[in-house]
């Protein structure tokens, strides 16, 4: 998830719109003149919200499933979604939501509070197995009961400060579709492909329904006629996947697509020159270098040495990465909670300065001497490591790796890049309970509230959402305390402490916070940007109000 990962995508095949593609046919249909076509270099990796890792998958689930609440993209405060109003008890243990009456799923079946209760109780039941990726959303939740078709009562075991933030990330699933998979150990919940068939879209409750999906190529969505909220102004939208940046930009310039999410930094000037609208702003996305922190790691245990990890950070030239890899469309990063989260980001956490002299000194003090080839030896073996590299960060990510690789060579450490698709990356990192990997590079796209990001470092997400293997009682305690702190000042203090602990562990060295860069044709209006871009997992509002001029 990430929170997913809120930054996970796919290894992509090169594709271009052709007159025979389903999306081109949809766009050319006389009934689809206001169909928004979005170019992406990631795409949807699974239609099952218990399986998918790609950021576009999370963005899609926001559009096809109800959530009780959503963010207002302009102010990032919580507003109504399927839950039209809510109250809570004085002690914070009971939350009551009134849902939108007379609602239906896209197949015409009733959409009620019963679906909400069933979804949440199912996540609770299987939270250590098949629903682990959504378990953060039910933190401290004891039960959910539909006391009427339009009222759901949620009970918590302790006061919980981030209830609305947690519920915003939970897709409400149609019980009549999913219940048959929630039997036994719940394994069927993860094997259910949830794919459309001709004439039968994925059963949806949000403003859109998925009607066609081709892995690594495209996903097509049409407006849901049974949506409980404001009817979208567009008849549908589609995601077209590109592996070639130039091809994606050319498709925008020639009108084959209408917009690009996450514009390649190398294409910004070209798109601006072609008179398209380009938005650049701070994002929630941050890039990282992961160093295995697992204490029972059996090989290359020198990486557990705090001074080695510190030396590695000294050898990261963030300023050059910003300038060369991201062409200035990023800022140096240090914390797991990015500045775009507002009050939750601790401004006192600063990255170590780039200093190869200090890096070499620390490695010398550790007793790891350089050989004739310039590579150090630690515990009888060369300090030569494979870096697992998720393919969804190609381009700037590749250039960032090359910069790090060059500088690490200067401190006697040799890195090689092992490119894997996101699913394989997760598998390689978590294999044998994190004991096999040494280093990795990936990225996160967290939410505004810090809980989900912090949960990714807890022991409860071991072998699941946790992508480094960091697991400490101290961090677990801070996570639980901030989640239960109803006083805002106290909660901010606890979140800052958690950030400091993560930073000092150097399980993940934050590299940069890259900007949101989106572009679209001037014939479209109504798109409102968020720190996750215009196509995001925060709100349905953008795609409800976008329209042709």
């Amino acid at each position: 998830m990430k929170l997913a990962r809120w930054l996970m995508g796919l290894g992509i095949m090169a594709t271009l719109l052709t007159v025979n593609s389903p999306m081109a046919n949809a766009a050319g249909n006389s009934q689809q003149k206001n169909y928004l076509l979005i170019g992406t270099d990631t795409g949807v990796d699974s239609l099952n919200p218990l399986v998918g890792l790609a950021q576009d998958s999370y963005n899609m689930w926001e559009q096809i499933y109800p959530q009780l609440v959503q963010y207002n993209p302009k102010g990032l405060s919580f507003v109504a979604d399927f839950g039209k109003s809510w109250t809570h008890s004085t002690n914070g243990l009971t939350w009551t939501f009134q849902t939108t009456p007379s609602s239906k799923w896209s197949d015409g079946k009733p959409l009620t509070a019963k679906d909400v209760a069933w979804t949440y109780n199912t996540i609770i039941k299987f939270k250590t197995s098949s629903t682990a990726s959504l378990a953060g959303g039910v933190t401290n939740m004891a039960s959910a009961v539909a006391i009427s078709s339009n009222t759901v009562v949620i009970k918590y075991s302790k006061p919980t400060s981030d209830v609305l933030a947690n519920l915003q990330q939970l897709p409400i699933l149609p019980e009549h579709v999913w219940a048959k998979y929630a039997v036994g150990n719940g394994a069927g919940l993860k094997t259910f492909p949830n794919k459309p068939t001709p004439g039968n879209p994925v059963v949806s409750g949000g403003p859109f329904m998925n009607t066609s999906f081709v892995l690594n190529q495209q996903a097509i969505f049409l407006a849901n006629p049974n949506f409980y909220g404001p009817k979208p102004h567009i008849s549908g939208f589609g995601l077209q996947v590109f592996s070639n940046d130039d091809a994606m930009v050319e498709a925008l310039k020639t009108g084959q697509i209408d917009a690009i999410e996450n514009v390649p930094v190398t294409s910004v000037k070209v798109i601006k020159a072609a008179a398209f609208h380009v938005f650049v702003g701070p994002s929630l996305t941050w890039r990282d270098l992961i160093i295995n922190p697992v204490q029972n790691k059996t090989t290359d245990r020198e990486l557990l040495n705090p001074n080695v990890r510190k030396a590695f950070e000294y050898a990261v030239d963030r300023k050059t990465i910003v300038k060369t890899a991201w062409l200035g469309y990023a800022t140096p990063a240090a914390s797991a909670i990015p500045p775009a989260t507002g009050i939750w980001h601790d401004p006192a956490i600063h990255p170590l300065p780039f200093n190869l002299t200090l890096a070499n000194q620390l490695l010398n003090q550790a007793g790891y001497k350089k050989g004739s080839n310039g590579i150090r030896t630690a515990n009888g073996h060369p300090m030569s490591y494979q870096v697992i590299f998720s393919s969804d960060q190609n381009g700037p990510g590749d250039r960032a790796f090359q910069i790090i690789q060059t500088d690490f060579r200067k401190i006697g450490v040799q890195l090689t890049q092992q490119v894997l698709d996101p699913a394989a990356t997760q598998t390689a990192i978590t294999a044998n309970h994190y004991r096999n990997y040494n280093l990795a590079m990936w990225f996160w796209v967290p939410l505004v509230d810090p809980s989900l990001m912090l949960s990714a470092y807890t022991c409860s997400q071991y072998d699941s959402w946790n992508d480094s293997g960091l697991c400490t009682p101290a961090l677990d305690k801070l996570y639980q305390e901030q989640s239960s702190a109803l006083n805002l000042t106290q909660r901010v203090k606890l979140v800052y402490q958690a950030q400091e602990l993560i930073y000092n562990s150097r399980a993940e060295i934050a590299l940069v916070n890259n900007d949101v860069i989106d572009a679209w044709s001037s014939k479209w209006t109504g798109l409102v940007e968020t720190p996750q871009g215009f196509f995001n997992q925060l709100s349905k509002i953008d795609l409800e109000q976008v329209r042709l001029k």
Side-chain angles (χ1 to χ4, degrees):
M1 103 173 123
K2 289 181 101 293
L3 156 326
R5 238 186 201 263
W6 313 110
L7 51 306
M8 302 181 222
L10 298 171
I12 306 301
M13 295 163 50
T15 58
L16 277 171
L17 276 170
T18 70
V19 294
N20 294 318
S21 75
M23 185 173 294
N25 290 338
N29 189 304
S30 62
Q31 296 178 346
Q32 306 295 335
K33 294 299 185 184
N34 59 342
Y35 190 92
L36 180 71
L37 303 177
I38 303 169
T40 177
D41 61 0
T42 56
V44 172
D45 63 336
S46 174
L47 298 174
N48 184 328
L50 301 174
V51 176
L53 297 173
Q55 183 59 38
D56 276 340
S57 297
Y58 288 93
N59 301 343
M60 170 200 65
W61 295 320
E62 178 70 27
Q63 297 298 330
I64 70 172
Y65 288 120
Q67 287 82 19
L68 282 182
V69 297
Q70 63 182 321
Y71 283 98
N72 178 339
K74 291 184 178 180
L76 294 180
S77 58
F78 292 104
V79 295
D81 193 343
F82 183 54
K84 63 187 185 70
S85 64
W86 55 90
T87 58
H88 61 80
S89 61
T90 303
N91 62 9
L93 297 179
T94 302
W95 286 70
T96 302
F97 286 81
Q98 301 300 321
T99 61
T100 306
S102 304
S103 297
K104 294 181 181 180
W105 294 99
S106 59
D107 64 357
K109 298 291 179 62
L111 163 56
T112 71
K114 188 170 179 284
D115 292 292
V116 180
W118 179 85
T119 299
Y120 294 175
N121 289 327
T122 299
I123 296 171
I124 293 171
K125 182 178 180 180
F126 300 108
K127 65 182 180 181
T128 61
S129 56
S130 56
T131 63
S133 63
L134 296 180
V138 296
T139 298
N140 299 332
M141 189 185 294
S143 65
V145 178
I147 61 174
S148 74
S149 61
N150 299 317
T151 306
V152 62
V153 177
I154 304 172
K155 297 283 190 179
Y156 287 84
S157 59
K158 63 174 70 172
T160 302
S161 60
D162 50 0
V163 167
L164 295 180
N166 287 340
L167 298 181
Q168 187 277 326
Q169 58 156 316
L170 293 179
I172 298 163
L173 303 176
E175 180 183 3
H176 67 281
V177 172
W178 287 78
K180 62 184 177 182
Y181 303 104
V183 296
N185 63 4
L189 290 167
K190 293 197 75 168
T191 58
F192 175 43
N194 198 32
K195 288 183 178 180
T197 57
N200 295 290
V202 172
V203 176
S204 308
F208 299 95
M209 51 190 184
N210 177 250
T211 59
S212 177
F213 173 62
V214 181
L215 182 65
N216 295 344
Q217 295 185 35
Q218 56 190 215
I220 296 175
F221 304 84
L222 295 180
N224 176 8
N226 293 331
F227 179 48
Y228 53 83
K231 302 304 180 186
H233 296 284
I234 56 176
S235 57
F237 74 96
L239 295 176
Q240 179 72 30
V241 181
F242 294 82
S243 66
N244 183 285
D245 292 346
D246 291 337
M248 182 162 60
V249 172
E250 187 63 22
L252 178 68
K253 291 168 63 178
T254 57
Q256 295 181 78
I257 59 176
D258 302 296
I260 295 176
E261 61 161 349
N262 301 321
V263 172
V265 294
T266 53
S267 303
V268 175
K269 289 184 178 179
V270 172
I271 294 175
K272 283 183 175 180
F276 287 90
H277 181 89
V278 177
F279 173 86
V280 178
S283 82
L284 294 166
T285 306
W286 61 281
R287 311 279 163 162
D288 58 8
L289 172 66
I290 307 170
I291 309 174
N292 191 328
V294 177
Q295 292 301 310
N296 59 357
K297 182 171 163 46
T298 55
T299 61
D300 301 310
R301 289 185 58 81
E302 67 277 1
L303 295 178
L304 300 177
N305 184 329
N307 282 334
V308 170
R309 304 165 82 84
K310 194 171 185 179
F312 282 12
E313 186 182 359
Y314 272 126
V316 173
D317 188 351
R318 292 175 174 88
K319 290 183 179 179
T320 296
I321 292 173
V322 168
K323 180 180 178 181
T324 303
W326 291 95
L327 303 184
Y329 293 106
T331 55
S335 174
I337 307 298
T341 61
I343 63 170
W344 303 114
H345 170 73
D346 184 357
I349 297 178
H350 299 289
L352 292 179
F354 175 59
N355 192 318
L356 294 179
T357 299
L358 288 178
N360 275 303
Q361 286 177 0
L362 286 170
L363 295 177
N364 289 337
Q365 291 167 10
Y368 306 140
K369 296 181 179 180
K370 289 184 179 180
S372 58
N373 62 354
I375 303 302
R376 295 178 185 272
T377 297
N379 303 321
H381 62 266
M383 293 186 73
S384 179
Y385 311 105
Q386 270 196 336
V387 180
I388 298 168
F389 185 94
S390 183
S391 60
D392 55 354
Q393 54 176 339
N394 61 345
D398 290 315
R399 293 190 290 274
F401 171 80
Q402 291 161 8
I403 292 167
I404 294 171
Q405 181 185 48
T406 299
D407 288 326
F408 271 48
R409 187 67 175 76
K410 296 173 184 176
I411 63 170
V413 177
Q414 182 170 290
L415 304 180
T416 56
Q417 186 181 25
Q418 181 187 16
V419 181
L420 300 172
D421 67 54
T425 295
Q426 184 76 358
T427 298
I429 290 174
T430 58
N432 194 21
H433 305 298
Y434 301 89
R435 292 189 185 99
N436 294 355
Y437 90 97
N438 286 317
L439 296 100
M441 284 181 67
W442 215 347
F443 65 96
W444 283 102
V445 186
L447 298 176
V448 177
D449 187 276
S451 275
L452 187 60
M453 187 69 251
L454 295 181
S455 75
Y457 298 99
T458 61
C459 299
S460 65
Q461 289 300 314
Y462 211 69
D463 286 332
S464 180
W465 196 237
N466 188 324
D467 78 337
S468 67
L470 181 64
C471 168
T472 69
L475 186 54
D476 277 11
K477 184 173 182 287
L478 284 170
Y479 172 73
Q480 291 295 335
E481 288 177 347
Q482 68 83 30
S483 183
S484 299
L486 300 183
N487 178 279
L488 179 61
T489 301
Q490 177 62 16
R491 187 180 176 214
V492 169
K493 181 180 178 181
L494 292 165
V495 170
Y496 282 13
Q497 291 174 10
Q499 288 175 73
E500 184 177 7
L501 193 156
I502 294 167
Y503 170 74
N504 288 331
S505 76
R506 292 183 174 83
E508 293 188 308
I509 295 176
L511 302 175
V512 300
N513 300 118
N514 59 274
D515 292 336
V516 168
I517 313 175
D518 290 333
W520 57 87
S521 167
S522 59
K523 69 181 183 181
W524 293 94
T525 187
L527 286 173
V528 179
E529 286 287 350
T530 76
Q532 282 191 357
F534 66 77
F535 182 50
N536 59 77
Q537 69 182 106
L538 305 176
S539 175
K540 297 172 170 60
I541 295 173
D542 263 359
L543 292 190
E544 289 173 359
Q545 62 186 34
V546 64
R547 69 194 75 186
L548 285 167
K549 288 183 179 178

